[in-house]
Amino acid sequence: MLKKQAFDFWKTYIEFLTKGMIDVPMPNPAIEFLADVKAGKYDEISDEEYDELLNSTAELASFWKKKRKATVGEIVREALIHMNLSLSETEKLAQILAEASTCKTYK
């Protein structure tokens, strides 16, 4: 997946999760990509650019497990399952979440 696409994905889906939107159904991005292709949105880009977009969209769409829609929670779970985080990366992520947790009062 392209780094910018991955960043945008995590930024969006973390925001959804923190707003309690875990059960919101999201459309598979492959469907939108196909519609854009049919509409000619990518007619002016190079074959190399098109292949890069196609491949990165296919990677992202794999989180939907071939379904037209999946909930935010299902998508995030699939994304996390497919990550290969090292121990240090897991610790960094846990540290960020721990720091954010101490700024909040849970009642």
Side-chain angles (χ1 to χ4, degrees):
M1 184 182 310
L2 300 172
K3 188 170 186 172
K4 174 158 180 15
Q5 185 182 35
F7 176 82
D8 292 343
F9 169 83
W10 284 111
K11 183 177 178 239
T12 299
Y13 281 81
I14 289 170
E15 185 175 336
F16 287 156
L17 289 174
T18 60
K19 291 183 177 179
M21 299 170 62
I22 196 166
D23 295 321
V24 173
M26 301 298 290
N28 187 322
I31 295 169
E32 181 179 340
F33 183 80
L34 182 57
D36 288 345
V37 168
K38 288 180 180 181
K41 182 175 180 179
Y42 304 113
D43 289 352
E44 302 299 319
I45 66 172
S46 71
D47 289 347
E48 184 178 286
E49 289 173 303
Y50 176 82
D51 288 343
E52 190 174 82
L53 284 170
L54 176 63
N55 291 333
S56 64
T57 301
E59 287 179 330
L60 183 60
S62 71
F63 302 152
W64 276 253
K65 299 181 82 169
K66 299 184 180 183
K67 296 188 290 186
R68 293 182 65 79
K69 289 187 177 185
T71 67
V72 169
E74 291 169 329
I75 296 162
V76 170
R77 182 185 64 231
E78 283 302 312
L80 290 170
I81 287 169
H82 288 88
M83 294 177 87
N84 188 18
L85 292 176
S86 67
L87 179 58
S88 67
E89 291 168 325
T90 301
E91 288 174 348
K92 286 177 189 175
L93 184 54
Q95 183 62 39
I96 291 168
L97 294 172
E99 287 175 18
S101 295
T102 60
C103 297
K104 171 85 174 121
T105 302
Y106 297 96
K107 292 184 179 185

